[in-house]
Amino acid sequence: MMNNYFNSKIFWQKFGISIGLLTFLFSTLFLLSFFSRKSWESGLKTAVETILEEKEDVQWVVGKKVYLNSPIESRAALFELREKNSVEKNYVIIIRIATLFGHMPAVYIYNKNMGARFVGYSGVKGKVRRILDRTYTDSSMTYWTERIPTIVKTAEGGMR
């Protein structure tokens, strides 16, 4: 009888320690992701601003992040966008798309009247950028150009 009690006590101690360690691990991961979200969003916003300055003649003002109400949020970020001296609301989306060199962050501008338009790849330099700039009219570009209006409409429907 005593041996069974002793084994049960050891089991519950080990079980409690294991649950405590798992709880600590998951809490740490959650807190790290929670506190790094703002930094991640500001990095994406900076990347979008940089490519817009490089590729566009118009001066754009990138606004707040718009939350996407779909699973695509893990591979894309949508921001409000307007011309410097205008109040017309546009959107800019940075999304990972497949290219000849793997997945690259592509930047599109969306306007309700004109649809989606590819601007360029963010964070790509040198020879790779020159090759991608010459060959950006592939099927994945066409797919995302057609898909972005739906993504924006879904996000606008659930704006917080």
Side-chain angles (χ1 to χ4, degrees):
M1 180 87 166
M2 186 63 125
N3 196 15
N4 193 15
Y5 172 76
F6 185 69
N7 287 339
S8 175
K9 185 177 180 181
I10 291 174
F11 167 78
W12 286 111
Q13 285 176 346
K14 289 182 179 181
F15 181 76
I17 290 171
S18 298
I19 294 298
L21 286 173
L22 285 173
T23 303
F24 174 76
L25 176 69
F26 287 120
S27 299
T28 303
L29 288 174
F30 173 76
L31 289 173
L32 287 173
S33 67
F34 180 75
F35 288 121
S36 66
R37 176 172 283 172
K38 289 290 183 198
S39 173
W40 179 257
E41 287 177 9
S42 70
L44 287 174
K45 189 174 181 179
T46 301
V48 166
E49 289 170 343
T50 301
I51 196 70
L52 289 175
E53 285 175 10
E54 289 176 7
K55 296 283 188 166
E56 292 287 307
D57 295 331
V58 178
Q59 284 190 323
W60 293 102
V61 177
V62 180
K64 67 180 183 172
K65 185 177 187 301
V66 177
Y67 291 94
L68 302 171
N69 296 320
S70 71
I72 197 141
E73 187 153 23
S74 65
R75 63 183 302 183
L78 181 68
F79 295 94
E80 292 179 351
L81 182 71
R82 66 177 178 78
E83 288 185 40
K84 189 166 185 155
N85 296 321
S86 174
V87 294
E88 182 183 7
K89 188 168 26 172
N90 300 293
Y91 294 97
V92 63
I93 187 167
I94 183 167
I95 188 165
R96 281 187 323 207
I97 64 168
T99 68
L100 297 169
F101 300 100
H103 285 83
M104 299 285 178
V107 176
Y108 288 86
I109 292 177
Y110 174 76
N111 180 301
K112 287 182 183 180
N113 300 327
M114 300 176 62
R117 164 174 73 81
F118 176 71
V119 176
Y121 292 101
S122 175
V124 182
K125 303 280 185 227
K127 186 177 181 180
V128 172
R129 184 172 193 164
R130 286 190 302 273
I131 292 170
L132 287 174
D133 282 345
R134 281 183 283 173
T135 61
Y136 72 84
T137 57
D138 65 354
S139 61
S140 64
M141 289 294 199
T142 306
Y143 171 79
W144 287 110
T145 302
E146 294 171 358
R147 178 97 165 80
I148 287 173
T150 307
I151 294 169
V152 172
K153 286 177 188 162
T154 303
E156 282 181 330
M159 282 187 147
R160 298 176 195 176

